[in-house]
C-alpha cells in the first residue's frame, strides 16, 4: 500500500516539475503579457493548493497532521515576513521591488530548499517502507 501512495505522489511531483519546466521555458519566449498571465495563474494555484493542503491536514484522522499543518502555517508566515523584509532592504531602496537579478537568486535558493525538502520526503518514505518490511533476521527467528 505504501508503494502505491508514494508512487502516486511522485507522479504528482513529476507532473508539477514538468509544468515548472514549461513555465520557465515560456518565460524565455513569451511576451510580457503572457508571463503576467502565468504569474496571476500561478498565484491562484499556489493559494488554492495551500488552502487544500491545510484543510486535508487539519481534518486528517492522523493526529500529527494537525501539528504538521501548524508548522506549515508557521513556515508560510516566515516566508512571507522574510520576503517583505528582503523587499524592504533590497539594493533598490526602501519599499521598492527587488531587482530581477535578486528575484532570480531568490528563486534559485528556494528551488534548492525545495530539493532538500524532496530529499527529506524521500528519506521519510524509505524509512516508512523499511518499517513495513520484516527484517530477514526477524523472519528467520519466527520460523525457528
Amino acid at each position: 500500500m505504501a508503494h502505491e501512495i508514494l508512487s502516486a505522489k511522485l507522479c504528482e511531483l513529476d507532473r508539477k516539475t514538468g509544468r515548472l519546466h514549461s513555465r520557465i521555458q515560456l518565460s524565455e519566449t513569451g511576451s510580457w503579457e503572457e508571463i503576467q498571465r502565468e504569474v496571476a495563474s500561478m498565484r491562484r494555484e499556489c493559494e488554492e493548493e495551500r488552502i487544500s493542503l491545510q484543510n486535508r491536514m487539519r481534518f486528517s484522522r492522523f493526529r500529527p497532521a494537525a501539528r504538521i499543518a501548524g508548522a506549515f502555517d508557521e513556515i508560510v508566515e516566515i516566508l512571507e515576513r522574510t520576503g517583505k523584509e528582503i523587499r524592504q532592504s533590497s539594493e533598490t531602496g526602501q519599499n521598492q521591488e527587488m531587482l530581477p537579478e535578486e528575484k532570480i537568486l531568490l528563486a534559485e535558493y528556494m528551488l534548492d530548499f525545495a530539493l532538500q525538502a524532496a530529499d527529506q520526503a524521500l528519506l521519510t518514505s524509505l524509512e516508512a517502507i523499511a518499517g513495513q518490511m520484516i527484517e530477514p533476521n526477524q523472519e528467520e527467528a519466527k520460523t525457528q
Side-chain angles (χ1 to χ4, degrees):
M1 180 69 167
H3 292 81
E4 293 84 9
I5 292 169
L6 297 174
S7 290
K9 281 295 173 185
L10 286 174
C11 286
E12 182 181 348
L13 182 60
D14 284 343
R15 182 179 52 80
K16 288 184 181 235
T17 303
R19 289 192 71 202
L20 172 68
H21 282 284
S22 66
R23 283 177 161 154
I24 289 174
Q25 287 172 341
L26 169 70
S27 72
E28 294 171 358
T29 60
S31 68
W32 184 86
E33 290 84 10
E34 289 173 314
I35 293 171
Q36 289 303 310
R37 281 193 297 274
E38 280 299 310
V39 167
S41 174
M42 195 68 216
R43 281 192 177 123
R44 278 190 307 277
E45 286 177 33
C46 286
E47 183 64 14
E48 289 169 5
E49 289 180 18
R50 184 183 65 78
I51 290 168
S52 175
L53 178 60
Q54 285 176 323
N55 287 334
R56 282 194 318 267
M57 294 184 87
R58 278 197 174 74
F59 300 112
S60 173
R61 291 181 296 198
F62 179 59
R63 289 184 182 211
R67 291 182 64 198
I68 295 168
F72 179 77
D73 289 344
E74 287 180 42
I75 291 168
V76 169
E77 183 181 312
I78 290 167
L79 288 172
E80 288 173 354
R81 185 179 66 240
T82 303
K84 184 178 178 182
E85 290 169 2
I86 289 170
R87 283 189 297 279
Q88 288 177 345
S89 67
S90 173
E91 293 176 11
T92 59
Q94 292 290 65
N95 295 319
Q96 293 184 12
E97 274 295 307
M98 294 172 67
L99 295 169
E101 294 80 12
E102 293 173 319
K103 282 188 175 181
I104 289 171
L105 282 171
L106 179 61
E108 179 184 352
Y109 291 136
M110 291 174 81
L111 286 169
D112 288 339
F113 284 115
L115 290 170
Q116 188 174 20
D119 284 343
Q120 287 296 313
L122 172 61
L123 175 60
T124 301
S125 300
L126 291 173
E127 290 171 345
I129 290 168
Q132 287 184 331
M133 301 172 108
I134 298 174
E135 285 187 45
N137 294 339
Q138 288 179 345
E139 185 72 26
E140 289 175 19
K142 287 182 182 179
T143 59
Q144 293 177 357

